[in-house]
Amino acid sequence: MRDLVATDDFDKLPEKYRDRARAIKARVAEIDGLMKPCDASDTRAAVLRMAGQFRDQPEIDHAEMAGEFLAACRDLPAWAVSEAASDFLAGRVDNHTGQFMPTCAEFAKRARAIMTPFLSERAALRTEASKLIDRAREDHKRHLIEMERQDPAVRKRVAALAEAATAGAAKRQGLPRIAMNQAEQKRIDALKRPRQDISKLEQTKIVKGRS
């Protein structure tokens, strides 16, 4: 876990984040345990299992083949090596005819593919662990800011700054009401359309029907 996040960073997390932090740490430790490289005997056992069922590649040198398998699998865990051999023997590997021994490259590629889900999970945990620490830091900053805002001295200082910033500025004035003389009012009234006082109610179908 040390390469994911610093130990002291996890120890400084607030309590509400520590449960998830402990779960991440425990799961990463499990995955790291699964990735322990195998012994040479594990690779030999897998090769012998396949050699008993598959035909040799043409013009193969058994000693050279054994050395290449050991080199290709030296950083792979024992369970991945064993699972890869089982996949070849069970015909679960695409593009393998099931007749000849796989090459060391084919075998190692299959073993690494089996490991991929665990490595992807570990990478996701790395990202989550980093975000967990960042989120805790942001929460702490917001808490400090809120505490500062509630401080009466700070609020008084902010009010004084606001007052100083607006000092000397012209105050907003309402629009002055323009008085209109009688002659101007008559001119405007003359431009208005005359209103018809005759009701149009008598022209409706309902009223006409009654009559």
Side-chain angles (χ1 to χ4, degrees):
M1 194 66 191
R2 186 173 300 173
D3 65 326
L4 290 176
V5 289
T7 303
D8 58 341
D9 285 341
F10 261 11
D11 292 339
K12 294 176 183 177
L13 286 174
E15 188 60 35
K16 67 177 182 178
Y17 294 121
R18 288 184 186 177
D19 287 342
R20 182 54 188 160
R22 295 188 190 102
I24 292 175
K25 187 175 182 179
R27 182 55 182 162
V28 169
E30 290 177 358
I31 296 175
D32 286 345
L34 289 174
M35 296 302 147
K36 180 182 177 181
C38 66
D39 296 328
S41 59
D42 299 315
T43 302
R44 292 192 186 96
V47 172
L48 288 175
R49 284 174 59 200
M50 294 186 295
Q53 301 297 324
F54 297 135
R55 297 162 57 188
D56 286 339
Q57 294 281 352
E59 302 179 0
I60 191 70
D61 183 313
H62 290 90
E64 183 178 351
M65 180 190 73
E68 292 299 332
F69 265 91
L70 290 174
C73 300
R74 64 179 172 223
D75 62 333
L76 302 177
W79 62 269
V81 171
S82 178
E83 286 295 317
S86 296
D87 284 351
F88 275 103
L89 291 170
R92 291 192 290 263
V93 180
D94 296 336
N95 301 324
H96 184 254
T97 62
Q99 297 184 38
F100 295 97
M101 275 284 292
T103 64
C104 59
E106 291 174 323
F107 185 80
K109 183 178 180 179
R110 183 64 182 183
R112 295 184 193 282
I114 294 171
M115 297 164 57
T116 297
F118 297 96
L119 297 176
S120 298
E121 181 183 359
R122 192 181 190 281
L125 291 172
R126 173 193 291 274
T127 301
E128 184 181 356
S130 298
K131 290 183 177 179
L132 199 67
I133 293 173
D134 291 340
R135 191 157 61 245
R137 288 173 179 167
E138 290 300 320
D139 285 350
H140 182 63
K141 289 179 182 178
R142 283 193 292 269
H143 178 66
L144 293 178
I145 292 172
E146 186 61 29
M147 289 181 61
E148 187 174 359
R149 285 176 177 173
Q150 298 303 322
D151 189 343
V154 173
R155 298 177 67 175
K156 184 176 180 181
R157 186 168 66 251
V158 171
L161 289 173
E163 184 177 355
T166 57
K171 295 183 178 180
R172 296 182 61 181
Q173 301 286 341
L175 292 175
R177 185 169 182 176
I178 301 175
M180 190 175 298
N181 56 40
Q182 188 174 6
E184 186 68 17
Q185 184 64 52
K186 286 182 178 181
R187 188 181 70 81
I188 293 175
D189 291 342
L191 296 174
K192 295 180 180 179
R193 294 180 62 181
R195 180 177 178 182
Q196 295 181 358
D197 296 330
I198 301 174
S199 175
K200 294 183 178 181
L201 186 62
E202 300 295 332
Q203 306 298 322
T204 62
K205 292 182 180 180
I206 296 177
V207 174
K208 286 182 178 181
R210 289 177 180 175
S211 60

